[in-house]
Amino acid sequence: MLYLHLHQPWRLARFRFLDLGSGKPYFDVDRNLSIFKGIAQRSYRPALDRLQQALEEFPEFRFSLSVTGTFFEQARLAAPDVIDRLRSLYRTGRVAFLAETYYHSLAFLLPPPELSEEVALHREMLDKEFGAKAKALRMTELAYSDDLARFAEAERFRGMLAEGWEGALHGQPATYPYCAAPAPTVALLLRHYPLSDDVGFRFSSTGWSEFPLTADKYARWLAATPGEVVGLFMDFETFGEHHQARTGILEFLSALPGEVHRHPHLGWATVEEAMEIPPRASLSVPYTMSWADQNRDLGAWLGNDLQRSAFEAAKKVGVLARRAQDPAILTDWRRLLTSDHFYYMYVSGHGADQGVHEYFSSYESPYDAYANYMNALTDLRRRALDRLGVPILK
Amino acid sequence: MDSAPSRRPLSTAHGARPLPAPFGGAPRPLHVLIVGWEFPPSHTGGLGVHCFELCQELTRLGHRVTFLSPTGGPFTPVAGVTFRHPGEKTGGRAPEFPPAYWAGGTADSPFTDSTDGYNSWVSELKTTDPFDVIHVHDWFGTVGAIALARRLHVPLIMTVHSTEYDRSLGHPWDHILHREELGIQAATRVIAVSRHLRQQLIDRYRAKPSKVRVIYNAVRPSERLERIDPEKRIVLYVGRLAMMKGVDTFLRAAAQVVPSFADVLFVIAGEGPEYERLIQLAAKLGIGDRVMFLGKVSEEEREVLLAGASVFVLPSVVEPFGIAALEAMAAGVPTIVSKTSGVAEMSQGTVFKVDFWDVNEFASRISELLEYPTLRATMGDQGRWAALREGWPERARETLFVYLDAMRAAGVRP
C-alpha cells in the first residue's frame, strides 16, 4: 500500500513589526510560487509521469494520494500542468484521494467546528476538482488519537491513517489492518515506518549499510515482511526533491511495481481497498500521535514555549477571526494555522531532529520564525477587531 | 579546532574530577612572549581582555608568559606572568600613551612617536629567557616583534583583533596599514578573531590562507546577578562611541520604537569621539527624554545594566568580533547584532542578525523582543547557552595549538 502526500504551505513574507497596520500582505506569493515551480520541475512532474507510466505498464499497480488545499492553490498559479497530471492519474480508477484539512492545519487542536469545516472545504475541493469522494481521512502530519477516530466516524469516514508506532501497538505488528477502539467502524491503516523511512530518509545516505537501495532488494524486503498490509507512507517530494534525481530515486520508483510483481504473494492496494480487509484487532490511542521526530508526538509543532505561545495566540485570534465574518480575515487566519509555521519554530540545538527541521525551514532561526509569525498574527488581530468595531488597545 | 586529545580524562581514582592534561597538550611547558598593548585594569577594547584571559589560561596549563607593555601599568597580576615595559630598568616612569583605539594622529604625531619608542625597545629587548614563541597583538608592536623574533630565532604569531581598514571605515592611515601588513606577512601563523576577518586578511592583506587561523573570543561565566525587573524596559548598547559602531543607527531605530512602547528607555554606556554628535542626534530625533547616555561604566555597573536589560543591540558598521554582544548573551539578554560582526558567526542562530544599514529592521527586531515575552525568554536562555558553551580555556588551547603548529612550521621542535 503506497500513499504519497502532496503539500506546500503558504510561507510568510518578512512581516516586520513596523509593518503592523500597513496593509502589507502576509504571504509572499512570488516566493512561494517560485519554490513551487522549482519543486514541480525536480519532483512533481517527473515523478507523476513515472507513476502514470507505471499504471499503464502494470495493471495491478495502484496507490493513494493526498493533496492539500494550499498545495492546490499554488499548483493552479505556478504549475497547472501538475493538476492535469493528477487528474489523469485519478481517471485510471486505480488512484484514491484521501481527505484532510484544506490548510494542512492544526485545526484538530481547536474547538469545533473548525476541524469539521476545514475537512469539509477539502472534501469540496476533491469533489469539484477531481470528482473524487474521499472515504478515508488522514490528519495533518499523520496525527491520530481516539478523539480523531470519533471525529472520523461522525464525519462518515471509513478509515484513517496512523503511524505504526510500537508505543500504540502493544506488541502487535503494524502490518495488519486494525479498527479504532472508540469507533469500530473506522478502519486504521498503519505506516510501516522502517520500510517507509528506508526510502523517505535513508535512500541516498551513502553511510547506510544497505546503500545503495535497489527496487529489487526493496521488493524482497517487502516480500519477506509478515502480515497482510504494509503501509508505505511518505512525502511525495521524496521523489526528486528530498532525494534528487541523480540519486536514482526516480528510477527506483519506476522499477518498484515491476519488482513487486515478481513476488506472486505481493499485490498493491489503495487505502480504500485495504480498509475493506477485516481488522485484526481494535487499537486505542488516548493521546495524539504523529509521524514526526523520534517521539512521534506533537513535539515538532508544539514542543517548546515559542510554539505553544504562538499557537495559543492563534487560537485566541481565531475567536475574533471567526466572529468577524470577513472571508479574507478567515482565510488568512486559516493559512496561519498551517502546521509548517509552527514547525519552523522548533528549537533543539542538540537533538538528532534539528537537522531535519533546518532542512524544511524557510527561516534562519526559530526566533525569526516566531517573531515574523507573531507580527502577522498581531496584525490580523487588529484587522479582526477593526472589523468588529472594537477600538484597538495596545 | 579539535582539542580532543587534551580533554581525554586521565585515569582517576575514586571518581575524582579528571585533571586537565598537563600543558594543554603541549609536550613541555612553553615560554611565551606576548608583545601587547593594553592590559586590565585599563583597557578600551577586546584586545586587553583577550590578552588577560590568554595569560591566565596559558599559565594555568603550566606555561610561562612574559608580557611586554608600552606602559608601566598598573597590571592586574596573574601568577606566572612577568610584566616588562620601557623604563623598567632605570626605574623611570614609562611614557604616557593615548588609549589604543582612538582614531587620529598623523605619521609624525606623538602617538606614532610613542609606538616607535615602544617598538625600538621591543626590538632591543635585553633578555636571556629562552622564548619559544613571540605573539604580537594588532599593529602596535609588529615592527619591534618582527626584529626581536629574527634576533632570537623564534617563530612569530600575530593575532589580528581588528584592521585599520575597519577602524577607519575605509580611510586607513598608511603608516598603520603598513605595520599591519608587515606583521601579517612576517608572522609564521596569523590568528583572526572571526571568519569574516580572516577573509579580509586574505583579500586585503594578501595573507596566505594556509597560515591564517580563526580563534573566537569568549566570555567568562561571571557571578551573574539575578535578572532585575526594572521599572522601565531597557534597550542597551555598551561600547565605544565611534563611527564604526553604528550607534546613530541605534538612535534612529529607537525613534521608530518609542511611539509603540510608552515604557521603554534606550541606554547607551560608553564614551568616544561621537559622544556629542550622538546626543545632538537624539535631541534632533525628538527622543532626548527616552535615551540615556551613561558615559564610561565600570565592570560592576555594566553587569547591573545587563541584568536589567530587555534587549541588547550591537549595530556596528564594522565589528571584527563584538565581545560586548557575547557578554550580553552570557548574561541572558536577547541580542541583536549586525550581520557582519564576528559574534554573529558563532551565535548558533540565537541572536537576530540585521544589515547594519537597515534601521527599520533594527527597530522591528527591538520591538518584537519588547512585545513578545516568550521570544525574549527563549532567546535569552538559548543565547546564554551558545555564549558559554565554550570559554577561554578552549580558546587558550586553540591558541596553544597554533603555537605548536608555528614551531613545527619554523622547524623548531616543540
Side-chain angles (χ1 to χ4, degrees):
Chain A
M1 180 176 54
L2 178 67
Y3 152 63
L4 304 172
H5 174 52
L6 289 129
H7 166 60
Q8 284 301 322
W10 282 108
R11 295 168 194 83
L12 288 163
R14 169 73 176 126
F15 192 88
R16 296 172 166 185
F17 192 84
L18 295 185
D19 295 327
L20 287 178
S22 67
K24 185 183 164 183
Y26 307 147
F27 305 98
D28 186 341
V29 175
D30 289 346
R31 185 165 152 258
N32 280 297
L33 296 188
S34 101
I35 292 173
F36 195 99
K37 282 176 186 154
I39 304 177
Q41 194 54 35
R42 294 186 294 272
S43 169
Y44 302 141
R45 286 192 192 104
L48 288 169
D49 286 348
R50 280 171 188 267
L51 287 166
Q52 181 79 38
Q53 280 164 17
L55 286 169
E56 282 158 19
E57 206 175 321
F58 302 99
E60 293 123 58
F61 183 50
R62 47 200 62 223
F63 58 94
S64 313
L65 293 175
S66 61
V67 181
T68 64
T70 51
F71 176 97
F72 194 86
E73 289 171 2
Q74 294 185 42
R76 189 150 50 196
L77 296 170
D81 58 299
V82 167
I83 298 176
D84 297 337
R85 284 174 164 85
L86 288 168
R87 287 193 178 120
S88 152
L89 287 177
Y90 186 69
R91 275 197 299 273
T92 64
R94 286 184 279 140
V95 175
F97 279 113
L98 282 93
E100 62 180 313
T101 59
Y102 184 92
Y103 293 94
H104 195 259
S105 77
L106 298 182
F108 59 91
L109 298 170
L110 292 174
E114 181 60 28
L115 178 60
S116 158
E117 287 181 16
E118 288 194 21
V119 170
L121 279 175
H122 190 249
R123 282 173 128 170
E124 256 168 56
M125 179 200 91
L126 290 178
D127 193 10
K128 185 165 151 253
E129 300 296 340
F130 299 100
K133 305 233 182 306
K135 295 192 190 110
L137 177 68
R138 65 86 69 179
M139 202 38 66
T140 308
E141 309 297 350
L142 223 66
Y144 178 80
S145 68
D146 286 349
D147 286 343
L148 283 169
R150 286 189 201 99
F151 169 81
E153 184 184 45
E155 298 281 330
R156 301 183 187 288
F157 284 107
R158 271 288 294 121
M160 274 194 81
L161 303 189
E163 177 76 350
W165 185 237
E166 285 85 352
L169 282 162
H170 305 293
Q172 305 176 86
T175 49
Y176 287 89
Y178 291 84
C179 68
T185 60
V186 176
L188 263 186
L189 296 170
L190 304 179
R191 188 171 91 108
H192 192 289
Y193 72 85
L195 281 167
S196 298
D197 291 347
D198 283 340
V199 181
F201 288 141
R202 289 180 282 273
F203 182 83
S204 58
S205 347
T206 47
W208 182 33
S209 59
E210 296 294 345
F211 181 87
L213 181 61
T214 58
D216 137 66
K217 178 163 43 171
Y218 193 68
R220 271 187 275 122
W221 291 351
L222 289 173
T225 306
E228 289 179 343
V229 53
V230 184
L232 308 175
F233 306 170
M234 51 198 101
D235 283 344
F236 192 94
E237 292 85 3
T238 298
F239 303 96
E241 181 68 15
H242 304 340
H243 305 300
Q244 293 168 10
R246 60 178 165 75
T247 63
I249 189 77
L250 294 168
E251 287 73 20
F252 175 87
L253 180 62
S254 287
L256 190 59
E259 292 297 337
V260 166
H261 187 66
R262 290 153 63 117
H263 300 274
H265 71 289
L266 291 182
W268 295 97
T270 64
V271 166
E272 297 185 354
E273 290 160 343
M275 286 183 324
E276 300 307 324
I277 306 172
R280 172 190 163 108
S282 68
L283 282 186
S284 176
V285 181
Y287 51 90
T288 308
M289 178 170 82
S290 83
W291 70 357
D293 291 353
Q294 313 274 341
N295 292 331
R296 303 301 201 279
D297 55 13
L298 295 177
W301 301 277
L302 298 172
N304 69 38
D305 290 347
L306 294 178
Q307 294 168 317
R308 283 189 291 268
S309 126
F311 186 67
E312 286 308 312
K315 247 178 168 169
K316 284 187 196 148
V317 173
V319 176
L320 302 172
R322 291 182 63 92
R323 209 177 284 163
Q325 306 274 342
D326 179 331
I329 291 177
L330 191 60
T331 301
D332 277 347
W333 176 65
R334 284 177 167 166
R335 285 180 177 176
L336 287 172
L337 282 182
T338 298
S339 69
D340 304 63
H341 299 303
F342 301 94
Y343 197 79
Y344 302 147
M345 301 172 199
Y346 181 85
V347 184
S348 127
H350 333 272
D353 297 318
Q354 185 76 24
V356 180
H357 282 260
E358 275 167 11
Y359 171 79
F360 285 106
S361 183
S362 61
Y363 292 94
E364 217 178 280
S365 80
Y367 315 104
D368 286 17
Y370 176 84
N372 209 41
Y373 182 87
M374 291 301 283
N375 291 342
L377 197 66
T378 306
D379 188 78
L380 185 67
R381 177 171 170 274
R382 289 193 191 177
R383 276 167 60 202
L385 286 172
D386 192 41
R387 183 84 197 173
L388 290 165
V390 180
I392 295 160
L393 297 171
K394 268 262 333 133
Chain B
M1 193 174 289
D2 184 17
S3 54
S6 57
R7 286 199 200 139
R8 196 188 309 129
L10 302 174
S11 58
T12 50
H14 316 299
R17 262 191 73 192
L19 294 163
F23 319 130
R28 60 177 172 82
L30 303 182
H31 194 160
V32 179
L33 180 74
I34 294 181
V35 180
W37 184 252
E38 50 182 33
F39 200 85
S42 65
H43 56 85
T44 56
L47 191 153
V49 180
H50 186 107
C51 286
F52 171 73
E53 298 287 355
L54 188 59
C55 284
Q56 268 211 324
E57 296 301 333
L58 286 175
T59 50
R60 185 169 296 164
L61 292 170
H63 303 286
R64 279 188 64 196
V65 177
T66 297
F67 185 89
L68 306 188
S69 161
T71 70
F75 306 107
T76 305
V78 180
V81 177
T82 312
F83 293 96
R84 297 188 58 184
H85 59 88
E88 58 189 356
K89 289 282 143 62
T90 58
R93 274 177 62 83
E96 287 293 325
F97 290 88
Y101 283 116
W102 302 119
T106 58
D108 54 0
S109 74
F111 189 32
T112 322
D113 291 343
S114 50
T115 62
D116 284 351
Y118 179 47
N119 276 296
S120 56
W121 173 76
V122 170
S123 65
E124 290 156 14
L125 187 77
K126 296 197 175 28
T127 176
T128 50
D129 286 324
F131 297 118
D132 292 294
V133 289
I134 297 179
H135 187 174
V136 61
H137 291 262
D138 277 358
W139 64 275
F140 312 101
T142 49
V143 175
I146 293 167
L148 184 63
R150 288 210 182 116
R151 177 154 68 82
L152 302 179
H153 303 288
V154 172
L156 178 68
I157 291 102
M158 176 171 178
T159 292
V160 182
H161 298 266
S162 66
T163 66
E164 178 60 10
Y165 275 111
D166 287 349
R167 286 186 301 266
S168 65
L169 289 178
H171 303 286
W173 292 102
D174 279 343
H175 66 285
I176 296 180
L177 198 61
H178 181 59
R179 287 163 187 221
E180 282 177 345
E181 280 170 347
L182 283 178
I184 291 164
Q185 293 301 325
T188 310
R189 288 290 178 270
V190 177
I191 297 169
V193 293
S194 66
R195 288 202 302 272
H196 190 262
L197 182 60
R198 176 179 185 269
Q199 199 53 48
Q200 199 191 14
L201 298 185
I202 293 166
D203 296 341
R204 284 240 164 102
Y205 291 82
R206 301 178 308 282
K208 231 165 73 188
S210 61
K211 74 175 194 184
V212 193
R213 306 279 182 270
V214 173
I215 299 181
Y216 294 113
N217 282 311
V219 284
R220 181 176 289 275
S222 68
E223 318 275 291
R224 205 172 55 81
L225 294 169
E226 285 299 306
R227 307 267 323 136
I228 304 166
D229 201 5
E231 217 169 289
K232 282 179 180 263
R233 281 185 283 180
I234 289 174
V235 181
L236 182 64
Y237 169 81
V238 179
R240 284 177 312 108
L241 307 184
M243 280 281 264
M244 66 184 261
K245 293 290 186 178
V247 188
D248 49 341
T249 304
F250 182 71
L251 289 176
R252 285 178 217 282
Q256 299 207 39
V257 172
V258 159
S260 309
F261 299 92
D263 67 336
V264 65
L265 191 64
F266 288 79
V267 174
I268 295 175
E271 55 185 1
E274 293 287 288
Y275 184 69
E276 279 174 23
R277 202 182 61 83
L278 289 168
I279 290 181
Q280 282 166 12
L281 178 62
K284 210 168 84 189
L285 290 166
I287 52 169
D289 57 334
R290 309 293 287 276
V291 183
M292 252 174 93
F293 288 88
L294 298 184
K296 192 174 165 67
V297 294
S298 69
E299 205 150 317
E300 291 75 37
E301 288 166 331
R302 197 186 58 211
E303 281 196 16
V304 175
L305 282 172
L306 286 173
S310 299
V311 183
F312 184 90
V313 185
L314 184 83
S316 306
V317 177
V318 173
E319 190 63 80
F321 188 77
I323 208 158
L326 198 63
E327 281 166 349
M329 287 165 68
V333 187
T335 299
I336 305 168
V337 302
S338 48
K339 280 183 185 166
T340 44
S341 63
V343 67
E345 290 173 15
M346 57 160 298
S347 60
Q348 312 263 327
T350 61
V351 299
F352 280 139
K353 300 170 194 172
V354 179
D355 287 308
F356 69 85
W357 43 263
D358 198 341
V359 175
N360 285 347
E361 186 71 4
F362 272 110
S364 287
R365 289 309 192 191
I366 294 168
S367 306
E368 286 156 11
L369 283 166
L370 292 174
E371 179 78 6
Y372 308 125
T374 315
L375 179 65
R376 215 157 55 226
T378 315
M379 253 176 87
D381 282 352
Q382 294 288 316
R384 184 158 63 220
W385 169 79
L388 297 175
R389 202 171 48 101
E390 290 190 319
W392 286 113
E394 283 80 7
R395 301 296 173 251
R397 285 217 182 91
E398 290 167 5
T399 308
L400 193 58
F401 282 124
V402 175
Y403 293 164
L404 297 174
D405 186 31
M407 287 165 78
R408 277 188 288 267
V412 189
R413 246 183 56 185

